[in-house]
């Protein structure tokens, strides 16, 4: 005999099934961490170490062999060109006196003294002539000698800006410029490197010869450009699951995607929830970048275009993407420009990674 099913039990079963499906769908939703595309400055640098030294060293020798009779200069003494800085008794018989003066060949100061009164010395005519003093032109301008590997030397050029820091002067930053690049390579254990000389100003005298420096050669620098965290360029979704906002560097976890969309496009979003509109005003630049003013760039970093994908969520919470050209990177952030003209990236909230 046929018995009808209990409508109450059937309704309860359907309701339970619906609740279970809803919970499962909610559990399957993927939460993301976001960042907002904004403007900034990005630099690409080459790191190296170097040693401070005076611009030039001049050794002073006596004109003839003899005994040092007197010294008129010492360590750090300032000297003038033509000043007598030592006297040497050049008589064959030391008991006799035949005094020969030693003059400073330049303006500067005494960097080193290697003799004392009474020292026997060999004059300039000897193959092993004795150095009495080492002079330097001063400390107002110094140089740094650095060794750059063959893989990086092509990115170093004369006049290039170099950022300088020293452990002995923590917190202070100095700036110099490449003054010369030695073309003769140094080869050690099959490793090729080149000597690079950097000049820098030391008017306050805080830098001393022999100090070790950490150098950053500014290879490329772009200012007032659109930048994104490198994590955004690495992100690729496993599937197009509905997104649940987790956190954002520009707002709270519960901020509305549609609010960002309206702010970007003035309430005129493209079809399908795409927040990219055609902005009014501004000037269009290579790569589709649109700006209210020409970005101030000191390096043409976009000569080689590398296309990447940035992911975001549209008004309905669905995943969508936009193609960009990636440019200069400092290891943490990268300059981006839209791959298509008319696309406005600034202010777009992009996905960095799935939230834990």
């Amino acid at each position: 005999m046929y018995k009808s099913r209990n409508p109450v039990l059937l309704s309860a079963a359907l309701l339970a099934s619906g609740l279970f499906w809803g919970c499962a769908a909610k559990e399957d939703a993927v939460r993301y961490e976001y960042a907002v595309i904004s403007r900034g400055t990005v630099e690409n640098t080459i790191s190296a170490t170097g040693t401070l030294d005076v611009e030039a060293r001049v050794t002073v020798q006596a004109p003839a062999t003899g005994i040092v009779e007197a010294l008129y200069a010492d360590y750090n003494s300032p000297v003038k060109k033509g000043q007598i800085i030592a006297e040497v008794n050049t008589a064959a018989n030391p008991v006799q006196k035949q005094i020969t003066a030693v003059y400073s060949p330049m303006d500067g100061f005494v960097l080193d003294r290697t003799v004392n009164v009474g020292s026997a010395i060999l004059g300039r005519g000897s193959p092993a002539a004795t150095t009495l003093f080492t002079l330097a032109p001063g400390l107002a301008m110094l140089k740094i000698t650095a060794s750059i590997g063959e893989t990086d030397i092509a990115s170093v050029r004369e006049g290039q800006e170099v950022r300088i820091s020293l452990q002995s002067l923590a917190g202070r930053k100095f700036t110099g410029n490449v003054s010369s690049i030695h073309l003769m390579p140094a080869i050690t254990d099959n490793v090729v490197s080149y000597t690079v000389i950097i000049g820098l100003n030391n008017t306050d005298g805080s830098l001393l010869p022999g100090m070790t420096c950490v150098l950053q050669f500014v290879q490329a620098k772009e200012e007032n450009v659109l930048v994104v965290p490198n994590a955004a360029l690495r992100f690729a979704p496993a599937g197009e699951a509905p997104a649940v906002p987790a956190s954002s560097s520009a707002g709270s976890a519960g901020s509305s995607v549609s609010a960002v969309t309206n702010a970007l496009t003035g309430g005129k979003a493209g079809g399908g929830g795409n927040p990219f509109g055609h902005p009014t005003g501004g000037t269009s630049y290579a790569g589709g970048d649109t700006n209210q003013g020409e970005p101030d760039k000191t390096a043409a970093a976009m000569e080689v275009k590398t296309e990447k994908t940035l992911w975001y969520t549209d008004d309905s919470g669905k995943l969508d993407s936009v193609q960009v050209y990636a440019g200069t990177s400092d290891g943490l952030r990268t300059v981006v420009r839209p791959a298509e003209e008319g696309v406005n990236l600034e202010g777009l909230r992009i996905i960095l990674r799935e939230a834990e």
Side-chain angles (χ1 to χ4, degrees):
M1 180 178 177
Y2 174 77
K3 294 182 179 180
S4 63
R5 296 180 180 178
N6 189 323
V8 176
L9 294 177
L10 181 60
S11 298
L14 290 174
L15 179 60
S17 175
L19 287 174
F20 177 80
W21 178 87
C23 292
K26 187 173 182 179
E27 289 177 358
D28 288 341
V30 180
R31 296 167 60 86
Y32 297 110
E33 295 180 13
Y34 295 87
V36 173
I37 299 178
S38 59
R39 293 191 175 272
T41 299
V42 174
E43 292 181 345
N44 183 288
T45 60
I46 299 170
S47 298
T49 58
T51 304
L52 277 167
D53 200 358
V54 292
E55 282 193 302
R57 294 169 181 256
V58 176
T59 57
V60 179
Q61 299 166 339
T65 298
I67 304 296
V68 176
E69 187 74 15
L71 294 172
Y72 301 112
D74 204 348
Y75 297 100
N76 306 330
S77 296
V79 294
K80 294 290 185 181
K81 184 177 181 179
Q83 174 184 335
I84 297 176
I85 54 178
E87 289 181 343
V88 177
N89 182 6
T90 59
N93 184 350
V95 177
Q96 299 174 348
K97 296 289 184 180
Q98 185 176 341
I99 302 300
T100 300
V102 179
Y103 299 93
S104 171
M106 61 182 291
D107 292 343
F109 73 100
V110 177
L111 191 62
D112 191 19
R113 172 177 61 80
T114 56
V115 296
N116 297 305
V117 173
S119 297
I121 63 169
L122 297 175
R124 283 195 292 265
S126 171
T130 304
T131 295
L132 280 64
F133 300 95
T134 300
L135 307 183
L139 293 177
M141 290 296 297
L142 296 178
K143 70 176 182 180
I144 301 172
T145 302
S147 180
I148 305 298
E150 62 177 321
T151 56
D152 291 326
I153 194 63
S155 299
V156 178
R157 62 190 183 278
E158 290 188 5
Q160 184 174 3
E161 179 183 342
V162 182
R163 306 283 173 76
I164 303 161
S165 59
L166 298 88
Q167 186 175 2
S168 56
L169 295 172
R172 292 195 61 182
K173 299 294 182 181
F174 302 86
T175 302
N177 296 92
V178 175
S179 58
S180 66
I181 302 170
H182 294 186
L183 300 181
M184 177 63 72
I187 304 176
T188 305
D189 296 330
N190 294 324
V191 176
V192 179
S193 60
Y194 295 83
T195 298
V196 175
I197 306 299
I198 301 101
L200 74 157
N201 193 302
N202 184 40
T203 52
D204 65 354
S206 59
L207 302 175
L208 299 175
M211 287 182 170
T212 301
C213 307
V214 176
L215 311 173
Q216 287 187 318
F217 295 79
V218 181
Q219 181 180 2
K221 179 179 179 180
E222 296 194 68
E223 298 178 311
N224 191 31
V225 288
L226 297 175
V227 296
V228 299
N230 286 358
L233 297 172
R234 294 191 297 265
F235 173 77
E240 294 189 2
V244 178
S247 64
S248 170
S249 61
S252 63
S255 61
S256 170
V257 175
S258 60
V260 176
T261 301
N262 291 334
L264 286 172
T265 63
K268 298 179 181 179
N274 190 325
F276 303 109
H278 293 270
T280 59
T283 307
S284 180
Y285 301 104
D289 187 24
T290 303
N291 188 3
Q292 297 299 322
E294 173 70 48
D296 180 13
K297 295 180 288 183
T298 59
M302 299 305 293
E303 292 180 359
V304 179
K305 294 181 178 180
T306 303
E307 192 164 340
K308 296 286 187 178
T309 302
L310 293 176
W311 292 86
Y312 63 96
T313 50
D314 63 18
D315 290 348
S316 63
K318 292 183 179 180
L319 284 170
D320 205 344
S321 64
V322 60
Q323 297 301 115
V324 297
Y325 291 128
T328 302
S329 177
D330 61 8
L332 297 175
R333 302 176 305 158
T334 297
V335 175
V336 294
R337 290 177 174 82
E340 296 182 7
E341 292 188 8
V343 173
N344 183 16
L345 294 175
E346 188 169 3
L348 176 67
R349 194 174 72 155
I350 54 174
I351 298 173
L352 295 178
R353 62 184 69 87
E354 291 186 6
E356 296 181 358

